[in-house]
């Protein structure tokens, strides 16, 4: 019977394949039911507890190397091992268990590893058995927390200011660690922000290279601080420069230019709306006695502070100011005597000038000098109360505008005669000499013209 069955199986390939598949299924069922053991390795930071045992001695513990990272392996049923992570374990080092009588600087502290779940189903095999510490002097220092920001506010806005409250942090711990702290910062993200923002953040410790210092052995009196960023509006505002004083004689102030002509400022919107120009006071640029162009640099920060605003780019505070000073041209002008206006002349007198033209020296810029015409000049002679005679008098010259300057004084010589006065006798005719002589005796005048030398100059 048995031989017949075996012969039947040997001669049936399909039945052979079915038997093999059935065997595999049975094996998988057995494996899952048995749940064989598996292993897994973890690394977990060691929490140091009961540090006050050391601090009461005026000392603080300092970890040697990476011994504050516990490395261990667990074994147990695969179903339990596979679903465990580092968060399912805690590693502690109790400083109350340290043996201070140990020789050498390094002291050993036993590390206790505890599973938070599946504790009865797994076995922990420790690789890092002890935390190694050295005892150092305790150091305490105070640091001003610098307020910082990351990101860029929304378009048209800028950071008005960032402040931290409280802004003082007290740090204590091993002297070797505390002494490495160069600064303490607190940062807030303002990316895309268009209004004031605040947040609670943890202060960050940095060394002089800008690397973050992190140690469980450090203690801070503030675990978190409040940081606030003010977000202000921005505006492009023109800069206006003025000057004071007058250049040297013969020179003229032409213009003053600022570079850049506009600056981008920030401030509260209600303040910016009322600001249309930034004025650099005239007394900042003094051109008194200047004979050449003046170049200067002005820091506009004080003038912005007076307005309650500030620059978006702090390094753009220097304004280059250029003052153009130009030398005037001096020219001699011949003015027709016939164009002199006379005032105060007695209606019975005639006045004649002893020259055809008068010379005057005028100073002005070259372009203005070329545009000067004689009909733009007014020359006035006042002869009020003058009697007939020959005089030299000062003329009152008026040039067209402040851009022209008269150099020196202008005088003219003239003669006043009385139209009703007797004139010099004509040559005597032999036929009527007696008649002419009689008339001369009756007039009582001299044959020579009369001069008023007492009134002439």
């Amino acid at each position: 019977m048995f031989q017949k069955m075996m012969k039947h199986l040997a001669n049936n390939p399909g039945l052979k394949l079915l038997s093999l598949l059935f065997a595999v299924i049975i094996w998988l069922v057995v494996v899952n039911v048995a749940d064989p053991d598996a292993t897994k390795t973890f690394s977990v930071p060691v929490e140091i507890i009961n540090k006050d045992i050391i601090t009461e001695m005026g000392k603080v513990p300092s970890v040697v190397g990476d011994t504050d990272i516990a490395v261990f392996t667990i074994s147990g049923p695969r179903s339990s091992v596979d679903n465990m992570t580092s968060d399912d374990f805690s590693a502690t080092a109790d400083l109350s268990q340290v043996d201070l009588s140990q020789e050498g600087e390094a002291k050993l502290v036993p590390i206790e590893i505890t599973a938070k779940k599946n504790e009865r189903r797994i076995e922990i095999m420790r690789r890092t058995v002890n935390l190694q510490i050295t005892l150092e002097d305790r150091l305490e220092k105070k640091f001003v927390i610098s307020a910082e920001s990351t990101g860029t506010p929304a378009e048209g806005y800028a950071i008005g200011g960032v402040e931290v409250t409280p802004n003082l942090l007290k740090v204590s711990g091993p002297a070797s660690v505390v002494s490495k702290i160069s600064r303490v910062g607190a940062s807030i993200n303002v990316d895309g922000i268009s209004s004031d923002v605040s947040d609670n953040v943890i202060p960050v410790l940095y060394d002089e290279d800008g690397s973050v210092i992190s140690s469980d052995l450090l203690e801070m009196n503030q675990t978190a601080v409040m940081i606030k960023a003010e977000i202000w509006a921005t505006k492009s505002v023109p800069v206006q420069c003025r000057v004071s004083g007058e250049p040297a004689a013969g020179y003229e102030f032409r213009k003053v230019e600022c570079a850049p002509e506009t600056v981008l400022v920030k401030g509260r919107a209600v303040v910016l709306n009322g600001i249309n120009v930034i004025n650099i006071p005239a007394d900042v640029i003094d051109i008194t006695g200047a004979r050449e162009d003046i170049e200067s640099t002005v820091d506009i920060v004080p003038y912005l502070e007076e307005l309650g605003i500030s620059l978006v780019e702090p390094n753009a505070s220097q304004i280059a100011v250029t003052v153009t000073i130009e030398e005037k041209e001096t020219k001699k002008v011949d003015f027709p005597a016939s164009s002199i206006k006379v005032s105060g002349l007695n209606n019975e007198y005639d006045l004649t000038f002893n020259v055809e033209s008068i010379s005057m020296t005028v100073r002005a810029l070259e372009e203005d000098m070329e545009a000067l015409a004689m009909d733009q000049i007014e020359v006035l002679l006042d002869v009020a109360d003058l009697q007939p005679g020959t005089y030299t008098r000062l003329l009152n010259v008026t040039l067209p505008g402040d851009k022209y300057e008269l150099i020196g004084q202008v005088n003219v010589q003239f003669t006043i005669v009385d139209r009703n006065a007797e004139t010099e006798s004509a040559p005597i005719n032999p036929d009527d000499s007696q008649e002419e002589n009689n008339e001369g005796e009756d007039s009582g005048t001299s044959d020579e013209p009369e001069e008023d030398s007492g009134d002439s100059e």
Side-chain angles (χ1 to χ4, degrees):
M1 182 69 180
F2 177 75
Q3 291 180 347
K4 185 178 181 180
M5 182 180 295
M6 292 301 295
K7 183 179 181 181
H8 179 73
L9 289 174
N11 295 329
N12 193 338
L15 189 58
K16 291 179 182 179
L17 182 60
L18 181 62
S19 300
L20 180 61
L21 180 61
F22 183 75
V24 171
I25 293 174
I26 294 176
W27 180 82
L28 290 175
V29 171
V30 171
V31 167
N32 286 328
V33 171
D35 197 6
D37 287 345
T39 60
K40 195 174 184 179
T41 301
F42 297 92
S43 297
V44 177
V46 177
E47 179 187 2
I48 302 174
I49 61 176
N50 290 326
K51 287 187 286 188
D52 56 333
I53 300 295
I54 304 300
T55 56
E56 289 176 359
M57 301 167 53
K59 301 286 185 178
V60 288
S62 180
V63 176
V64 177
D66 295 330
T67 60
D68 58 346
I69 302 296
V71 179
F72 56 94
T73 301
I74 65 170
S75 64
R78 184 182 300 275
S79 59
S80 298
V81 171
D82 285 349
N83 66 1
M84 296 192 76
T85 66
S86 297
D87 294 335
D88 296 324
F89 300 90
S90 65
T92 59
D94 188 351
L95 294 190
S96 65
Q97 304 298 318
V98 66
D99 184 1
L100 299 177
S101 64
Q102 299 175 35
E103 295 183 358
E105 294 184 0
K107 311 296 181 184
L108 302 180
V109 185
I111 297 176
E112 183 71 25
I113 301 173
T114 305
K116 299 177 183 178
K117 68 179 185 179
N118 300 331
E119 183 178 3
R120 296 182 178 180
R121 304 194 63 190
I122 63 171
E123 180 183 358
I124 299 174
M125 294 166 285
R126 292 182 293 177
R127 296 185 186 179
T128 307
V129 179
N130 296 301
L131 169 72
Q132 297 183 44
I133 64 170
T134 58
L135 301 183
E136 294 188 40
D137 291 334
R138 184 173 181 272
L139 180 61
E140 181 178 285
K141 291 181 69 175
K142 294 180 180 178
F143 299 89
V144 175
I145 304 174
S146 59
E148 303 165 356
S149 63
T150 59
T152 303
E155 185 176 356
Y157 293 87
I159 300 175
V162 184
E163 61 179 9
V164 177
T165 307
N167 66 342
L168 194 64
L169 183 69
K170 183 167 62 177
V171 183
S172 60
S176 62
V177 180
V178 176
S179 61
K180 293 180 181 179
I181 302 174
S182 176
R183 68 180 184 91
V184 178
S187 180
I188 187 170
N189 188 354
V190 298
D191 198 42
I193 302 298
S194 59
S195 60
D196 294 353
V197 61
S198 60
D199 194 8
N200 285 314
V201 299
I202 300 174
V204 181
L205 313 178
Y206 298 93
D207 63 16
E208 61 181 8
D209 295 327
S211 300
V212 176
I213 296 175
S214 177
S215 175
D216 292 337
L217 301 176
L218 295 176
E219 295 181 356
M220 298 184 292
N221 67 328
Q222 301 288 341
T223 57
V225 293
M226 170 68 74
I227 183 170
K228 179 181 179 181
E230 294 182 341
I231 306 300
W232 289 355
T234 62
K235 183 178 182 180
S236 183
V237 182
V239 179
Q240 186 177 82
C241 308
R242 293 175 293 172
V243 300
S244 61
E246 293 293 335
Y251 294 81
E252 182 168 320
F253 161 70
R254 296 304 307 274
K255 61 182 178 179
V256 58
E257 297 175 305
C258 297
E261 296 180 349
T262 61
V263 292
L264 187 63
V265 297
K266 60 184 178 181
R268 293 298 185 186
V270 65
V271 177
L272 286 182
N273 290 339
I275 298 175
N276 296 314
V277 66
I278 298 170
N279 287 308
I280 296 178
D283 57 3
V284 174
I285 308 296
D286 187 2
I287 64 171
T288 301
R291 297 175 182 271
E292 59 185 11
D293 293 351
I294 298 174
E295 294 183 352
S296 180
T297 302
V298 179
D299 186 350
I300 63 170
V301 169
Y303 314 119
L304 299 181
E305 292 176 346
E306 292 176 0
L307 299 173
I309 58 177
S310 59
L311 290 167
V312 173
E313 296 293 339
N315 58 357
S317 63
Q318 300 299 313
I319 302 297
V321 180
T322 302
V323 181
T324 302
I325 304 294
E326 186 173 330
E327 186 176 7
K328 295 180 179 180
E329 179 184 273
T330 301
K331 184 177 181 181
K332 200 170 190 180
V333 176
D334 291 328
F335 187 83
S338 59
S339 297
I340 299 175
K341 296 179 180 180
V342 180
S343 65
L345 182 66
N346 190 305
N347 291 333
E348 297 180 356
Y349 297 163
D350 289 326
L351 183 150
T352 59
F353 293 102
N354 298 355
V355 293
E356 293 183 359
S357 63
I358 56 173
S359 293
M360 63 180 72
T361 302
V362 179
R363 187 159 58 194
L365 296 175
E366 181 179 1
E367 61 193 55
D368 295 327
M369 192 68 76
E370 293 176 353
L372 180 62
M374 290 300 104
D375 59 1
Q376 295 177 307
I377 303 175
E378 183 179 74
V379 181
L380 179 64
L381 173 63
D382 185 6
V383 297
D385 301 327
L386 291 184
Q387 299 299 317
T390 299
Y391 301 89
T392 299
R393 284 289 187 269
L394 181 66
L395 294 171
N396 183 7
V397 180
T398 302
L399 298 173
D402 296 336
K403 54 189 176 181
Y404 296 97
E405 179 185 359
L406 180 67
I407 306 301
Q409 298 178 338
V410 181
N411 297 302
V412 68
Q413 190 178 63
F414 58 91
T415 299
I416 299 176
V417 297
D418 186 347
R419 289 192 300 271
N420 298 322
E422 294 181 1
T423 61
E424 183 179 356
S425 299
I428 299 175
N429 191 319
D431 298 335
D432 56 2
S433 60
Q434 185 62 41
E435 181 181 353
E436 291 291 329
N437 288 335
N438 291 338
E439 290 179 359
E441 291 175 358
D442 293 340
S443 65
T445 61
S446 169
D447 292 338
E448 299 294 329
E450 182 178 355
E451 288 188 7
D452 185 3
S453 60
D455 291 337
S456 64
E457 292 183 359

